[in-house]
Amino acid sequence: MKTKDSTTYKIVDWMGFGVGSIATAVDSTDGSVTRIRPLHFDDRHTPEELNEWKVEARGHTFKVGMRSYPSMLSYAYKKRVDSPNRIPYPLRRVDWDPQGERNPQNRGKSGYVRINWDEAAQIVADEIARMKDTYGTTAIFTQADGHGEPKTIGGGHGCMTRLMDIVGPYTQQARQPDSWEGWYWGAKHMWGMEPVGRNANQTNLFKDVSENADTVLLWGCDPETTNEGVAGLLPCRMLNFWNEIGIPLIAIAPDFNYAAAAHADKWFPVLPNTDAALQLGIIHVWLTEGTYDREYIDTHTVGFDWLVSHVMGHEDGIEKTPAWAASKCGIPARRIKALARHWARHNVSICHGEGGSMIRSAYAHEPARLEVCLLAMQALGHPGRNVIHMQSWNLYFMSHLSAVPTSDVVFSFAASFTGHYVNAATMNNFIPQTLVPDAILGNYTEENPLTWYGKVICSLPRQDQYTQYSYPAPGASRIHMIWTDTPCWETCWNGGFKMQDALRSPEIECVVVQHPWFENDVNFGDVILPISTKLEQDDIEQGLMSGSYDVALNALPACEPYGESLSDFEAVMKVAEKMGLADALLTSIWGDCSDAEKINGVPYEKAKRFAYETSGLMYEGASMNPFAAPEEIADAPEPTRRAWVPDYDEFAEDGWLAVPFSNSCEERSAGLYDFWRDPEAHPLMSDTGKIEIYANALAEHWPDDTERKPYPRWIEQGETHPDERLTTPRGEEYPFLMVSNHPHYREHANMDDIPWLREAGGKVIGPDGYGYEPAWINPVDAAKLGIESGDIVRIYNERGGVLGGAVVTNRICEHAVLQDHGARVDTVVAGVGGLDRGGANNLIAPSATTSKNCVGEVTSGFLVNVEKVDVFELAKQYPEAFGRPFDEAYGLIANPHIIEEA
């Protein structure tokens, strides 16, 4: 049987932002993708040639291997190409007339008519011109960020900003530090750790833990699930190695997640968003039993007495004993004491996979800061006592953010990236992602603006958090047009039902959406532009964040574009042509392109050659700054030609290039070892160079902030979140805490329509044949509610409700319900107080942000109730919503939305 006609090479993961991780070989037969498989480096190289890295510990050897390690998500992605949810051609909402009535109240309800690309591009160009003439260009709001396919020339997220940079000042959505919220708003003020607030000294930490740690705490995360879409299976292999060499792993999370089930020796089922109580209970044991490193505290930290005062109850009269902690977090006092005593006697490291309830809940800055206190009290930086992160390796092209060995070669194809790189220095008109619904629905003016602190760009130093910003910015308009290529706000951020109301506001006169699939916010578009997937595009790609070999790929198309779809940048070029700005747009990226061969207006071959030759690959010593302007990149020094790097033509013919690992990795100090050994010679990035348990800067800037004080503590209630605890009166009406984790069977809001993943366990099939998002409920709670596995339940609070398929299991603690975020929106009733059939639980998350002066997302650890429902009765009540056609394998399909063809 013929298995392939051709093989192309693609980065198939969802890191986005122009860089990726997981290199794959994509086989095609008869013009269709037949399979996606690992890239085998040993097809061309020996381990010696690529300097394969390994770790030898306790009589065992770990080798990175000579292949890439895609996860099931990457393998299944081929089903996304021909999904029935694909948008086949440009569409216009049937009752939206750019020359007449716009009917914003019908967004999300109305069907669509087919239009051609010429008409679609003209409408968008005309709307931009109308906005400019009527309000000024700041009335145009771009949503241009988020995890998605890592494309370079195709751009992915943010191509429209390249055009808007030419048109004039516009308003942009500022991306939150969503994977790092608590660390960004809290820990960053204790130990610096730029850029994102988590431990930035990751060098050789996998080696250090393997050699020296006696225990690893998998705290508030699932390193299996969180990493599978952005780092592949290398983290899984690393955890397996720790199991092999006998390091005990302890999972601390509300759920017995996949990593815990596969790797952990013990599970501490802490209630959602109560990690701070558990941490304080542990600290109390250490203080009262004298089992912490007092000398380290004296020489490496400042402000420790403030923590002691809080723990011992001098501040509020409440001593934070293990018994007190047990009443908050649900873990018996005896287990808290046992964990504290074990930790004090052993070399313990903490392992994170990013995200999780601990980091994305109300007041998430407190457990993030208390984690640093715990580490400091046991001599952070001592061999075996560190905090290791299992993803985001080489983040921002910084090798010290990688816990595994890296290459000496820093390269980037940023010169041909057509998406959006944030230029924080010139970012004046913006709205933090968490505040978008408030900005649209509020009656804000320049005289009475919406205000907040910080540009919320996670790469900025903590000092940016001290600056106040506003919407509308001085001299700017309110927003009246949205142009989005990341249409998943309502299912990815906090308070999604409020966003549905905002998208129907008469203030918003035009919504332009470009996306491959009809899903989530796409249903609110007035004009919809069909986008091709990366498997259909010609590109040059880089995989730098997998922990395996860095790779460069000549990423040729694996199949033809679906329908009339174009790449994101080609779509923007169509609009630029209508505005007479096509040449200016190309010139702003690649210089004069008048003689270049173009496809849909894009000079692909010139762009790939330019990216490769200016990447820093070919010449040793070439300075590579991915945020620099193209002319700066082109002028980078080229002192020494690397003999092992081919020229562009040979690279293009070969299809891929693997970069050897450094020979000097093992010579570097592990983690914070140097700081542990000599804090004066190797200070941290804090103001004092030490761990600031009491942060003077917070006291100076916000002396009256009772929610984020200068030192970490337990917050029962506060101004921003007065009633999101089980112990508050509202907890009687809503007696469950929501756990909304990173999903196992998709990547954020991507891939909810892949049959293989839905069948493997991604959905619970209801009595009506519909695939409902699983909702884990503890047997004790389920019995009280009369719920059995397979029942359909409503998870709700005053903000609305979402449906789910019950999974009664001891893998979730009592008083909590787990439903992963990112399920595809299937709205029954829109807006605040509404109902969603798909289970997109961010719709019912609080609109309130992390705390008063921290505009982070709160998408987990909030109060809900659960009840069993009869879907057939709901179908009688909402016949239109429950009567929408769906495919049992794929879920909802796009075609029914198209009610008329041109």
Side-chain angles (χ1 to χ4, degrees), residues 120-140:
Q122 189 64 62
I123 290 173
V124 178
D126 290 346
E127 285 298 296
I128 293 172
R130 189 178 70 82
M131 290 289 152
K132 182 177 182 179
D133 292 342
T134 307
Y135 308 107
T137 52
T138 54
I140 302 169

Side-chain angles (χ1 to χ4, degrees), residues 443-451 470-478:
N443 188 29
Y444 296 109
T445 63
E446 188 174 341
E447 294 72 30
N448 179 38
L450 173 67
T451 60
S470 63
Y471 164 82
S477 167
R478 288 177 57 89

Side-chain angles (χ1 to χ4, degrees), residues 31-227:
S32 298
V33 175
T34 51
R35 65 178 177 178
I36 297 174
R37 53 188 174 85
L39 180 61
H40 284 264
F41 305 110
D42 53 7
D43 284 348
R44 296 184 190 168
H45 301 284
T46 66
E48 291 73 25
E49 288 173 336
L50 294 181
N51 195 26
E52 178 189 25
W53 68 263
K54 61 183 179 181
V55 168
E56 295 178 343
R58 312 183 200 207
H60 297 259
T61 301
F62 180 95
K63 295 183 179 181
V64 69
M66 290 296 290
R67 49 159 285 192
S68 62
Y69 291 94
S71 73
M72 63 178 180
L73 302 181
S74 299
Y75 293 128
Y77 198 58
K78 80 181 201 72
K79 300 296 291 182
R80 194 77 154 129
V81 176
D82 57 0
S83 165
N85 293 319
R86 289 297 298 271
I87 301 168
Y89 31 69
L91 299 168
R92 177 180 58 80
R93 184 160 62 87
V94 65
D95 54 354
W96 183 82
D97 181 359
Q99 306 302 323
E101 293 297 322
R102 298 188 174 227
N103 297 302
Q105 74 282 359
N106 291 336
R107 291 189 184 116
K109 301 178 183 179
S110 306
Y112 291 84
V113 295
R114 179 179 183 175
I115 57 178
N116 59 42
W117 267 106
D118 185 69
E119 182 181 356
Q122 189 64 62
I123 290 173
V124 178
D126 290 346
E127 285 298 296
I128 293 172
R130 189 178 70 82
M131 290 289 152
K132 182 177 182 179
D133 292 342
T134 307
Y135 308 107
T137 52
T138 54
I140 302 169
F141 181 60
T142 62
Q143 292 180 299
D145 55 53
H147 287 289
E149 300 172 310
K151 305 169 184 173
T152 303
I153 303 168
H157 302 313
C159 295
M160 80 286 278
T161 65
R162 296 299 192 116
L163 176 59
M164 291 307 303
D165 285 339
I166 299 171
V167 173
Y170 56 98
T171 302
Q172 60 184 288
Q173 180 171 274
R175 181 178 179 82
Q176 303 295 132
D178 59 312
S179 289
W180 310 296
E181 294 282 14
W183 293 307
Y184 177 85
W185 299 108
K188 211 172 194 184
H189 295 280
M190 294 183 70
W191 59 358
M193 295 299 176
E194 307 295 350
V196 298
R198 64 172 175 86
N199 180 20
N201 299 78
Q202 289 288 302
T203 302
N204 275 332
L205 280 187
F206 178 56
K207 182 176 184 292
D208 174 72
V209 171
S210 299
E211 293 177 345
N212 301 306
D214 298 321
T215 301
V216 174
L217 306 179
L218 309 179
W219 199 318
C221 70
D222 179 352
E224 282 270 11
T225 291
T226 310
N227 298 301

Side-chain angles (χ1 to χ4, degrees), residues 7 13 38 126 162 174 178 232 498 515 556 577 622 671 692 780 859:
T7 298
D13 63 52
D126 290 346
R162 296 299 192 116
D178 59 312
K498 191 172 184 179
H515 197 57
L556 297 172
E577 289 168 0
E692 298 181 2
V780 174
T859 49

Side-chain angles (χ1 to χ4, degrees), residues 638-884:
E638 302 179 347
T640 306
R641 179 75 161 81
R642 292 191 175 97
W644 57 269
V645 178
D647 62 22
Y648 171 74
D649 292 321
E650 184 179 347
F651 158 76
E653 179 68 23
D654 290 343
W656 59 269
L657 172 67
V659 178
F661 282 103
S662 171
N663 288 309
S664 61
C665 289
E666 292 192 5
E667 300 171 6
R668 304 166 191 165
S669 296
L672 289 164
Y673 174 83
D674 288 336
F675 173 70
W676 166 73
R677 182 175 52 82
D678 189 343
E680 301 299 328
H682 301 278
L684 300 178
M685 297 175 71
S686 63
D687 291 341
T688 61
K690 298 182 179 182
I691 296 171
E692 298 181 2
I693 297 173
Y694 186 96
N696 278 310
L698 290 179
E700 293 170 4
H701 287 90
W702 293 291
D704 300 321
D705 188 342
T706 60
E707 295 184 313
R708 184 179 56 166
K709 287 190 173 183
Y711 58 93
R713 63 196 182 94
W714 171 258
I715 304 177
E716 180 74 12
Q717 297 172 274
E719 176 183 348
T720 306
H721 298 280
D723 50 10
E724 286 292 353
R725 299 281 187 199
L726 288 172
T727 47
T728 63
R730 185 165 164 268
E732 298 180 7
E733 184 175 1
Y734 303 109
F736 294 93
L737 285 165
M738 185 76 186
V739 184
S740 180
N741 280 347
H742 189 287
H744 188 58
Y745 292 101
R746 56 182 174 268
E747 179 69 16
H748 295 297
N750 294 293
M751 301 177 290
D752 199 39
D753 62 348
I754 292 182
W756 297 343
L757 302 179
R758 293 168 69 91
E759 181 181 358
K763 299 295 174 181
V764 173
I765 305 303
D768 52 357
Y770 186 91
Y772 290 89
E773 183 66 15
W776 290 11
I777 306 172
N778 185 275
V780 174
D781 296 322
K784 294 176 183 177
L785 297 170
I787 292 172
E788 298 179 355
S789 288
D791 288 342
I792 306 307
V793 299
R794 181 172 75 110
I795 305 169
Y796 67 96
N797 52 33
E798 73 281 5
R799 294 181 284 270
V802 299
L803 300 185
V807 178
V808 179
T809 174
N810 282 305
R811 290 178 61 179
I812 183 70
C813 63
E814 292 182 49
H815 310 299
V817 57
L818 179 149
Q819 189 181 57
D820 292 337
H821 85 269
R824 185 181 177 195
V825 173
D826 185 4
T827 302
V828 177
V829 178
V832 174
L835 178 65
D836 182 74
R837 191 182 188 189
N841 54 68
N842 281 14
L843 292 165
I844 60 173
S847 294
T849 57
T850 303
S851 66
K852 179 179 180 180
N853 295 310
C854 305
V855 289
E857 65 170 293
V858 177
T859 49
S860 195
F862 55 88
L863 290 176
V864 298
N865 205 342
V866 183
E867 65 178 4
K868 180 178 176 179
V869 298
D870 184 330
V871 292
F872 297 112
E873 287 299 317
L874 286 174
K876 292 177 183 178
Q877 187 176 356
Y878 305 105
E880 182 179 351
F882 279 78
R884 295 181 192 127

